[in-house]
Amino acid sequence: MKPETLNFFDKVYDIARLIPYGRVTSYGAIANYLGAKRSARMVGYAMNASEGKEVPAHRVVNRNGLLTGKHHFDGTNLMQQLLENEGVKVVENQVQDFDALFWDPAKEL
DNA sequence: CTCTTGACTGAGG
DNA sequence: GCCTCAGCCAAGA
């Protein structure tokens, strides 16, 4: 299908939904897969608008594995709870074993 | 149309 | 390894 078929946001949601259970990825990885490596901020921006949609935004963190978007969730530790519920260890808003749990759509897909 | 803001990232000191 | 600066692009006021 044409790239124009889906909006940038929709593409982001599509990728986010493909993130395997118990895995995490970075905004940059998604942006890179979409061909907009420099638009990592847009990915986060899209996530902000993902509320109300079935998108595992909690599986998306920044390149450091830091839960930079946890403040956008209802509670203060909801994002962390969701990740830990999937077996992902989180300490101080930071994903443990991030390199091992990292899921790159450009490589895994 | 212009300015500000932001769930980011890479490079430089 | 930590801190700071600049580039990036889209949406809202």
Side-chain angles (χ1 to χ4, degrees):
Chain A
M1 57 180 82
K2 298 177 182 177
E4 293 76 17
T5 306
L6 296 173
N7 294 324
F8 188 86
F9 281 31
D10 294 322
K11 293 180 183 177
V12 174
Y13 302 148
D14 201 34
I15 301 302
R17 274 188 280 259
L18 295 176
I19 301 174
Y21 181 92
R23 291 294 209 93
V24 294
T25 189
S26 67
Y27 303 96
I30 296 174
N32 182 31
Y33 181 77
L34 295 177
K37 186 179 181 181
R38 301 295 174 181
S39 300
R41 309 181 79 155
M42 299 303 93
V43 176
Y45 201 90
M47 287 286 126
N48 185 28
S50 68
E51 292 185 8
K53 299 177 176 57
E54 295 182 14
V55 179
H58 59 275
R59 293 179 186 158
V60 184
V61 297
N62 70 349
R63 70 178 184 84
N64 296 314
L66 194 66
L67 308 188
T68 53
K70 69 169 297 180
H71 295 292
H72 289 262
F73 285 78
D74 293 334
T76 56
N77 62 339
L78 177 59
M79 187 174 185
Q80 180 176 329
Q81 291 297 311
L82 290 171
L83 288 171
E84 291 184 330
N85 187 38
E86 298 185 356
V88 179
K89 297 177 182 177
V90 180
V91 179
E92 290 291 294
N93 304 332
Q94 189 173 287
V95 176
Q96 303 302 295
D97 301 321
F98 178 63
D99 59 338
L101 295 173
F102 184 73
W103 180 80
D104 189 346
K107 295 179 180 177
E108 301 295 334
L109 295 180

